[in-house]
Amino acid sequence: MRAIALLLLAAGCASQEPNTDWRVAGADPGNTRFSPLDQINTTNVGQLQVAWVYHTGDLPPDGHGEIQATPIVVDGVLYATTPKVAVIALRADKGTLLWRFDAFPNRPTQPHVNRGVVYWVDEGGHDRRIFFAVDRRLYALDARTGEPMRSFGDSGWVDLGAGLGEDFSGTYLVSTSPGVVYKDILIWGTRVGEEAGSAPGHIRAYDARTGKIRWTFHTIPWPGEFGYDTWPLETFKSAGGANSWAGMTVDTARGVVYIPTGSATPDFYGGDRVGANLFANSLVALDAATGKRIWHFQTVHHDLWDRDLPAAPNLVTVTRDGSCAEAVAQITKSGLSFCSIDSQANPSSRSKSVWSRRPICVGSTRGGHSHSRSSPRPSHGKRSVRPR
């Protein structure tokens, strides 16, 4: 996809309704991606006209550039990232530039894709910040001016490579999806390499004011932690991946953050990581305030096929046995959608009649180790896509 502009479309309707903010990339912390606005509907969508266009000016000389970011809108201001992963603030009604922040203004090319920013405001409404990541840096900007908040980390940013337990300064580590906020805690994931020697995908939570790490969840467990026995001994020192690159979801009422993770590394060979490899390929529910594990559900045991969980989960309401229930739903690359009817309960224990660990064909691989002997599959229902 090539993109050098942000477009806003407007309908020629006489009546004007109050604006509704879109403060989170997924519309709300539950990632519902739903808007109550109905001014644009099936009767007038064919009459839409371009209201304004803003050109970022970031298209590289070779003509290849893209914007993957979902803009957010807060109090009439649109915040987004550009192909060069600069942050811009525009008047949402006119497309007028209010400010632009570029951490690397002299870099001509796009360093990596970026899917958006995070907005945070303190309880008093005075401290308003935009958080975003470029390369290994997680920045805090003043939402009004775009200037770095000097009280956050090292004069406005923290190093996402710090606090991982080992020195991974020479490995690939960036952030492509925005994190989430819970009260004054900023929870962030990373994208890492897919080869042997890659960095681990541990989840860090930062103080939204100071940038100090409030808690860390080891997606590759350390000694004494749950799941440590699903890896060979001492593997935590060298294993990588199990990172959350696709985004997260927060249940602000319950104080739970739901984190989807990717595969362990290397992607297509597991001879050096025999075992189920928790918490790779898992939906993990953590206490958002402390980072303590509440439950997890691993969708693929000992992944050898790069079956990352590719999107943030959705908080939904489902009808079951004639009554409504809160649930968390997670899609997968395999075409299966996993759903926990009670969003505080482990799907593997609460939905035994729906999900089971079925035996799978076991084959020998290079190095003599075997695939996992089971994998979660639905007891009934159909795939959302046809397997190849």
Side-chain angles (χ1 to χ4, degrees):
M1 174 182 175
R2 302 179 181 180
I4 59 171
L6 294 173
L7 288 81
L8 181 70
L9 300 180
C13 302
S15 61
Q16 297 292 325
E17 297 180 2
N19 292 328
T20 298
D21 285 347
W22 189 278
R23 292 185 170 227
V24 182
D28 52 55
N31 201 41
T32 63
R33 298 189 178 272
F34 172 78
S35 172
L37 299 179
D38 59 3
Q39 189 182 54
I40 299 175
N41 52 55
T42 57
T43 66
N44 59 28
V45 66
Q47 304 169 24
L48 293 178
Q49 297 180 1
V50 176
W52 56 259
V53 176
Y54 175 79
H55 293 273
T56 67
D58 284 2
L59 191 66
D62 62 6
H64 295 279
E66 59 182 313
I67 296 178
Q68 289 193 9
T70 298
I72 62 173
V73 178
V74 181
D75 297 332
V77 179
L78 182 151
Y79 302 94
T81 52
T82 73
K84 285 181 58 180
V85 196
V87 182
I88 53 174
L90 310 176
R91 278 194 54 168
D93 60 344
K94 297 182 178 180
T96 306
L97 180 67
L98 300 176
W99 56 257
R100 174 183 170 116
F101 174 80
D102 191 344
F104 303 98
N106 296 321
R107 180 162 49 189
T109 59
Q110 181 173 0
H112 54 80
V113 299
N114 183 277
R115 294 176 176 171
V117 302
V118 172
Y119 175 81
W120 176 80
V121 59
D122 67 1
E123 293 182 352
H126 304 296
D127 190 351
R128 302 181 180 184
R129 302 188 177 196
I130 294 293
F131 295 100
F132 89 108
V134 56
D135 289 352
R136 291 177 173 233
R137 296 184 180 185
L138 172 58
Y139 277 90
L141 306 179
D142 188 322
R144 299 180 181 87
T145 66
E147 292 296 320
M149 304 295 293
R150 302 298 176 183
S151 60
F152 185 84
D154 183 6
S155 299
W157 60 274
V158 297
D159 182 2
L160 289 170
L164 293 177
E166 300 289 336
D167 182 10
F168 293 98
S169 57
T171 62
Y172 179 78
L173 189 153
V174 298
S175 177
T176 53
S177 296
V180 294
V181 289
Y182 174 72
K183 297 183 178 179
D184 63 346
I185 299 175
L186 178 67
I187 306 169
W188 214 272
T190 54
R191 177 181 177 182
V192 300
E194 299 182 342
E195 65 282 348
S198 296
H202 302 325
I203 307 299
R204 270 76 53 81
Y206 301 89
D207 187 297
R209 295 179 177 85
T210 67
K212 293 183 178 179
I213 294 178
R214 297 275 284 267
W215 55 257
T216 299
F217 178 78
H218 298 131
T219 57
I220 300 174
W222 288 13
E225 296 177 342
F226 186 94
Y228 178 72
D229 59 353
T230 65
W231 299 78
L233 294 178
E234 302 296 305
T235 306
F236 77 99
K237 295 180 179 179
S238 58
N243 55 303
S244 182
W245 58 265
M248 311 172 191
T249 297
V250 181
D251 185 332
T252 55
R254 290 186 170 99
V256 180
V257 57
Y258 300 96
I259 302 174
T261 64
S263 61
T265 60
D267 273 2
F268 304 108
Y269 175 68
D272 296 328
R273 51 176 176 87
V274 176
N277 303 148
L278 291 176
F279 291 92
N281 308 90
S282 299
L283 179 60
V284 185
L286 304 179
D287 185 314
T290 65
K292 292 184 178 180
R293 184 184 64 91
I294 300 173
W295 59 258
H296 75 276
F297 184 72
Q298 190 176 44
T299 60
V300 178
H301 306 321
H302 189 65
D303 184 14
L304 300 175
W305 305 284
D306 192 27
R307 296 303 194 198
D308 299 348
L309 294 183
N314 309 99
L315 298 187
V316 297
T317 302
V318 298
T319 301
R320 188 184 192 193
D321 299 329
S323 61
C324 294
E326 301 301 317
V328 55
Q330 176 67 59
I331 64 170
T332 68
K333 287 183 177 180
S334 60
L336 302 175
S337 295
F338 292 85
C339 185
S340 170
I341 298 303
D342 178 351
S343 57
Q344 286 211 103
N346 187 335
S348 61
S349 63
R350 291 284 291 182
S351 304
K352 290 182 179 178
S353 62
V354 179
W355 300 103
S356 63
R357 285 175 171 78
R358 294 187 175 184
I360 58 177
C361 180
V362 177
S364 178
T365 61
R366 189 180 69 181
H369 84 284
S370 298
H371 302 179
S372 173
R373 294 184 177 273
S374 66
S375 185
R377 287 293 184 271
S379 298
H380 61 269
K382 298 180 179 179
R383 288 175 178 263
S384 56
V385 297
R386 179 181 298 175
R388 295 181 178 178

